[in-house]
Amino acid sequence: MSVTAAKGFQAAGIAAGIKENGNPDLALVVNSGPRRAAAGVFTSNRVKAAPVLWSEQVLKGGQVAAVVLNSGGANACTGPKGFQDTHATAEKAAEALGVDAAEVAVASTGLIGVTLPMDKLLPGVEAAAAALSPHGGEKAAIAIKTTDSVHKTAVFEGEGWTVGGMAKGAGMLAPGLATMLVVLTTDADLPAADLDKALREATRLTFDRVDSDGCMSTNDTVLLLASGAADVTPGQAEFAEAVRGVCDDLARQLIGDAEGASKDIRIEVVGAASEDDAVEVGRSIARNNLLKCAIHGEDPNWGRVLSAIGTTGAAFEPDRLNVAINDVWVCKNGSVGEDRDLVDMRYREVKITADLAAGSESAVIWANDLTADYVHENSAYSS
Amino acid sequence: MSVTAAKGFQAAGIAAGIKENGNPDLALVVNSGPRRAAAGVFTSNRVKAAPVLWSEQVLKGGQVAAVVLNSGGANACTGPKGFQDTHATAEKAAEALGVDAAEVAVASTGLIGVTLPMDKLLPGVEAAAAALSPHGGEKAAIAIKTTDSVHKTAVFEGEGWTVGGMAKGAGMLAPGLATMLVVLTTDADLPAADLDKALREATRLTFDRVDSDGCMSTNDTVLLLASGAADVTPGQAEFAEAVRGVCDDLARQLIGDAEGASKDIRIEVVGAASEDDAVEVGRSIARNNLLKCAIHGEDPNWGRVLSAIGTTGAAFEPDRLNVAINDVWVCKNGSVGEDRDLVDMRYREVKITADLAAGSESAVIWANDLTADYVHENSAYSS
């Protein structure tokens, strides 16, 4: 399944020796056509990793023949040498596959500020090319894991066409535009412009509304490749809905596997004057460390929700705000509402509903709690 | 010392029974003149506690005769009842002191969303009035503590005049304009407008540049009261510098006592095109949870500094950024710099210098690391 669920794709995932522990660390996804249309969305962080700078250029051509992805090193903040390494990676894949290097996207993930071991990566690209299989999607998804505890895949089956995908990401998870590493594939036959439109709308509503820890990565990359092998051209709306569904599924898996998290928090902002207001308020709630700690402690501390809302520029009157936690309206009209002891927070998913009472727009942001495990995992990551 | 270091002030700190553990929880500061000029700065959180709404009105008159401060309850998000309670508190103090309630400021701190036990607070105000003393500053500073492990006071001695102050605050510590509860007093003779100017400039450069946990309180209040009892009018610049020095001292004490923190992080942004850019970048670094975890783990993870800088709108080129941790330039020109193993992070204070190489402006932001202790303390606070 994964990126090989759609016809016209092969993939591989191998251990190239980039990770010192010997785990799989190199994935290759190849579009064997007949079409090679593609779209991509990348981090809006202004400090961009070398593979992001490279792949942005590749995607401008609207065609992608192959994607090389490595874990074990982000190749970010590595200067001209880092860019040369990404270029060499694309050239090596192009040579092994008999395609144009200008149609090979590259994505990397891992520690920032460390150059990649090219003596291991380049032979790894050759080995991955030799291991390509129409059933290789699972192995590819495994090879891009970093601190992920599980690999993430999703598939949507249309009538005669398919959208599949894989994702990695467990930390530095608060995309500005795209997030983490994601490769989506489809055998539908659509031009690059249509893919781009569907992908941008999908990421805006899914990955872009995940905020595990408020930290935006330098390497976020989401690619969508279309092979046309199914010889079907679905309607734009139908296709866009499918892409969004797969992205939503993967985004939910990312939150469910976030570093150290014990709770997944679904923040729904309703009654907003605009969708932008709803997203701004949702993100402010999602990033409030004190609230994240309270949720970890299964404490329905709605005062921290209000203090987070109050830092935004959204339209609202403080004395009209309502907040529910797991459907108990603990705050009504900006003051004490239903009995907080009625809130049951034993389950992993916690639902916060913030009603701005200022309109009819809404948005959902997914977040995690803040735990001692998150601190432990991230105080030792580069050591 | 504290708020009674300057002539013309009396203070008291008592246990009124607001806190269930019986600790001191009510402070009273009285200006016995001859002048009663005052200035105040308050939270820019749009969800403001009742005492903030009240005191903002009081300060518009430019005169404060007394300040009642309580810990054990923030009186925030408590609706019309909360405002009535604040009003009743001011009336009770006015009655006990023989002053106008419109000149009595009120400040509260503690849990949001819980109404104050007025049956304990009002008799407490009477008891505090009876306990007033020109040596009561220390007791007042103790009575406003919440999760603070120590009380905080500071004093500046001018030529024939004095500025003293007290502060509380250990969490929800990322002011938008002012922060926490702070009362400053002086016996200098200055009109309210001059006090206001000095106070705004001082808070902008001190409390406003402290960011312990990115969470802005609903109750932040900083007051400056002038008695004129020294019968001296210092120059505006000299006075402003004194106020700033006392604020800086108190701000540094707040960071040093932040909930669960094991490191105080001094973030200096240099080479910025504007002071606003420097502050924006400093704050972005200060709020990066992954970096805060790394500092806790004594890990000079400069990649997380760059990823934080990259989320800002400040003027810079990614490949010209330089970052030093404890004076070791681990990142040069956006890439790997000096050996990270040279960085010694054993001490509590950690210095991060970010050079944007885009101008000559700079700013310092103080922050803390993120620890398991912070999570523990804040996952159980309201329970």
Side-chain angles (χ1 to χ4, degrees):
Chain A
M1 304 304 282
S2 174
V3 289
T4 49
K7 288 190 284 287
F9 291 92
Q10 295 192 83
I14 64 150
I18 305 165
K19 285 180 181 164
E20 288 185 4
N21 63 12
N23 283 343
D25 49 21
L26 191 77
L28 183 61
V29 180
V30 176
N31 182 353
S32 42
R35 311 267 180 262
R36 286 175 173 176
V41 212
F42 301 90
T43 183
S44 61
N45 197 310
R46 291 169 60 203
V47 176
K48 295 182 204 297
V52 169
L53 295 171
W54 170 266
S55 298
E56 278 182 334
Q57 292 306 313
V58 169
L59 267 296
K60 282 186 180 165
Q63 300 235 109
V64 168
V67 188
V68 183
L69 307 98
N70 75 273
S71 53
N75 197 11
C77 308
T78 45
K81 170 77 168 69
F83 194 78
Q84 286 161 16
D85 288 347
T86 290
H87 187 185
T89 302
E91 289 283 359
K92 173 60 76 177
E95 180 190 318
L97 300 168
V99 301
D100 186 341
E103 293 186 6
V104 177
V106 179
S108 300
T109 179
L111 189 63
I112 298 172
V114 178
T115 52
L116 293 169
M118 296 306 288
D119 56 328
K120 289 172 179 160
L121 200 151
L122 293 181
V125 171
E126 283 185 353
L132 282 170
S133 153
H135 309 290
E138 206 80 8
K139 284 189 176 169
I142 291 168
I144 58 175
K145 286 168 55 186
T146 53
T147 55
D148 307 66
S149 70
V150 293
H151 62 286
K152 290 116 182 167
T153 65
V155 173
F156 171 86
E157 297 283 356
E159 288 188 27
W161 56 281
T162 298
V163 178
M166 65 179 185
K168 70 76 52 179
M172 206 176 262
L173 206 53
L177 221 182
T179 182
M180 321 137 285
L181 303 191
V182 177
V183 178
L184 305 173
T185 56
T186 183
D187 44 20
D189 187 3
L190 289 150
D194 288 2
L195 299 178
D196 187 72
K197 191 176 165 195
L199 186 61
R200 280 186 196 282
E201 180 68 1
T203 54
R204 187 178 78 81
L205 295 171
T206 59
F207 298 123
D208 213 15
R209 295 193 181 174
V210 162
D211 194 330
S212 171
D213 61 1
C215 300
M216 190 197 299
S217 159
T218 48
N219 288 54
D220 296 336
T221 299
V222 183
L223 300 176
L224 170 58
L225 281 51
S227 69
D231 203 18
V232 176
T233 303
Q236 176 75 25
E238 185 186 2
F239 181 71
E241 183 59 33
V243 172
R244 180 180 161 178
V246 170
C247 288
D248 207 34
D249 188 336
L250 292 172
R252 186 68 187 78
Q253 292 180 51
L254 291 166
I255 279 291
D257 190 34
E259 288 169 351
S262 72
K263 302 282 189 193
D264 303 339
I265 312 172
R266 182 183 191 278
I267 301 161
E268 182 164 19
V269 181
V270 302
S274 69
E275 188 180 352
D276 283 352
D277 273 10
V279 170
E280 183 190 357
V281 168
R283 204 172 278 283
S284 178
I285 296 170
R287 292 187 176 177
N288 191 281
N289 277 353
L290 287 172
L291 177 66
K292 288 156 73 87
C293 287
I295 301 295
H296 177 53
E298 302 189 345
D299 169 11
N301 195 320
W302 60 266
R304 293 176 182 176
V305 177
L306 259 67
S307 80
I309 296 173
T311 63
T312 71
F316 70 84
E317 292 300 324
D319 58 3
R320 293 194 64 202
L321 294 171
N322 306 301
V323 173
I325 299 179
N326 284 351
D327 299 319
V328 179
W329 290 92
V330 285
C331 169
K332 288 182 179 174
N333 294 320
S335 183
V336 187
E338 291 172 37
D339 186 355
R340 39 170 287 149
D341 290 342
L342 298 173
V343 182
D344 181 355
M345 299 180 71
R346 288 171 299 172
Y347 302 99
R348 184 172 174 107
E349 187 173 321
V350 173
K351 190 163 73 171
I352 296 176
T353 315
D355 173 16
L356 303 186
S360 57
E361 297 298 318
S362 65
V364 172
I365 299 280
W366 281 93
N368 293 109
D369 59 341
L370 181 57
T371 71
D373 286 346
Y374 176 90
V375 174
H376 291 148
E377 188 158 348
N378 287 299
S379 55
Y381 181 51
S382 83
S383 303
Chain B
M1 305 304 280
S2 174
V3 290
T4 47
K7 289 190 284 285
F9 291 93
Q10 295 192 82
I14 64 148
I18 306 166
K19 286 180 182 165
E20 288 186 3
N21 63 12
N23 283 344
D25 49 21
L26 190 78
L28 184 61
V29 180
V30 176
N31 182 352
S32 42
R35 310 269 179 261
R36 287 175 172 177
V41 214
F42 301 91
T43 183
S44 62
N45 197 311
R46 291 169 58 202
V47 175
K48 297 183 204 295
V52 169
L53 295 172
W54 170 266
S55 297
E56 279 182 334
Q57 293 306 314
V58 169
L59 267 295
K60 282 185 180 164
Q63 298 234 110
V64 169
V67 188
V68 183
L69 308 98
N70 76 274
S71 52
N75 197 11
C77 307
T78 44
K81 170 77 167 72
F83 194 78
Q84 287 161 15
D85 288 347
T86 290
H87 187 184
T89 302
E91 290 284 0
K92 173 61 74 177
E95 181 191 316
L97 300 167
V99 301
D100 187 342
E103 293 187 4
V104 177
V106 180
S108 299
T109 180
L111 189 63
I112 297 171
V114 179
T115 52
L116 292 170
M118 296 305 289
D119 58 327
K120 290 171 179 162
L121 199 150
L122 294 182
V125 171
E126 285 186 353
L132 283 169
S133 153
H135 309 291
E138 206 81 8
K139 285 188 176 169
I142 290 168
I144 58 174
K145 284 169 58 186
T146 53
T147 55
D148 307 67
S149 70
V150 296
H151 62 285
K152 289 114 182 166
T153 65
V155 173
F156 170 88
E157 297 284 356
E159 287 188 28
W161 56 281
T162 297
V163 178
M166 66 179 183
K168 68 77 51 180
M172 206 175 262
L173 205 54
L177 223 180
T179 183
M180 321 136 285
L181 303 190
V182 177
V183 177
L184 305 173
T185 57
T186 182
D187 44 20
D189 187 3
L190 289 150
D194 288 2
L195 298 178
D196 187 71
K197 191 175 166 197
L199 185 61
R200 282 187 194 280
E201 179 69 1
T203 55
R204 188 178 77 81
L205 295 171
T206 59
F207 298 123
D208 214 15
R209 296 194 180 172
V210 162
D211 194 331
S212 172
D213 61 2
C215 299
M216 190 196 300
S217 161
T218 50
N219 288 55
D220 296 336
T221 299
V222 183
L223 301 175
L224 170 59
L225 280 52
S227 69
D231 202 19
V232 176
T233 302
Q236 177 74 24
E238 185 186 3
F239 180 71
E241 182 60 33
V243 173
R244 179 180 163 180
V246 170
C247 288
D248 205 36
D249 188 336
L250 292 172
R252 187 66 187 80
Q253 291 180 53
L254 291 166
I255 278 289
D257 191 33
E259 288 170 350
S262 72
K263 301 282 188 191
D264 304 339
I265 312 173
R266 183 183 191 277
I267 300 162
E268 182 163 19
V269 181
V270 302
S274 69
E275 188 179 352
D276 284 352
D277 272 10
V279 170
E280 184 191 356
V281 167
R283 203 171 278 283
S284 178
I285 296 170
R287 291 187 176 178
N288 190 282
N289 277 353
L290 287 172
L291 177 66
K292 287 157 73 87
C293 287
I295 300 297
H296 177 53
E298 304 189 344
D299 169 11
N301 195 321
W302 59 268
R304 293 176 181 175
V305 177
L306 259 67
S307 79
I309 298 173
T311 64
T312 70
F316 69 84
E317 293 300 323
D319 58 3
R320 291 193 66 201
L321 294 171
N322 306 300
V323 173
I325 299 179
N326 284 349
D327 298 319
V328 179
W329 290 92
V330 284
C331 170
K332 289 184 180 174
N333 294 319
S335 182
V336 188
E338 290 172 37
D339 185 355
R340 38 171 286 149
D341 291 343
L342 297 174
V343 182
D344 182 356
M345 298 181 72
R346 287 171 299 172
Y347 302 99
R348 183 170 175 109
E349 187 172 321
V350 173
K351 190 164 72 169
I352 296 176
T353 315
D355 173 16
L356 303 186
S360 57
E361 297 299 319
S362 64
V364 172
I365 299 280
W366 279 93
N368 292 109
D369 58 343
L370 180 57
T371 71
D373 286 347
Y374 177 90
V375 174
H376 291 149
E377 188 158 347
N378 286 299
S379 55
Y381 181 51
S382 83
S383 304

